Amino acid sequence: MAFKDIVAVQQSGMRAMATNGVIGLHLVSGPIVGFAIGYGLDAWLGTGPWFKLIFFLTGILAGFLNVWRDTKELLAKMEKEKRYPEKARK
């Protein structure tokens, strides 16, 4: 195995780890941001837990939507690499 091939394998592994990290970050950040927005609106308007609940649930939905999109993109990329492995290395 040539040095070029080793570097290519390492780079593809790093890309996969970065993609997985982004998927996990999307899953966590959506509910946190939604709760923070709801908390701010509840504090500003004095409305109790309603905006926290609404925006938290919206954040969960947004997080899962982002995970679904990222996973779909990752699967398409994996399928492309499987079909054309010589283009994936470049």
Side-chain angles (χ1 to χ4, degrees):
M1 185 180 263
F3 181 72
K4 234 181 187 180
D5 296 332
I6 294 171
V7 171
V9 168
Q10 286 179 343
Q11 286 177 343
S12 91
M14 293 299 284
R15 270 189 240 115
M17 283 185 356
T19 301
N20 291 335
V22 167
I23 288 173
L25 187 63
H26 281 162
L27 191 59
V28 173
S29 65
I32 290 173
V33 170
F35 183 80
I37 291 170
Y39 183 83
L41 285 173
D42 278 337
W44 181 44
L45 300 172
T47 53
W50 295 111
F51 281 117
K52 285 181 222 162
L53 181 64
I54 291 168
F55 279 94
F56 180 70
L57 292 175
T58 304
I60 289 173
L61 290 173
F64 277 113
L65 178 64
N66 284 334
V67 168
W68 181 68
R69 286 178 183 164
D70 289 341
T71 304
K72 198 168 131 180
E73 181 182 326
L74 180 63
L75 290 174
K77 194 181 298 184
M78 288 170 58
E79 184 64 31
K80 181 180 174 187
E81 287 177 1
K82 189 187 293 185
R83 286 185 187 173
Y84 307 106
E86 64 280 348
K87 289 184 181 180
R89 289 186 187 159
K90 295 179 182 178

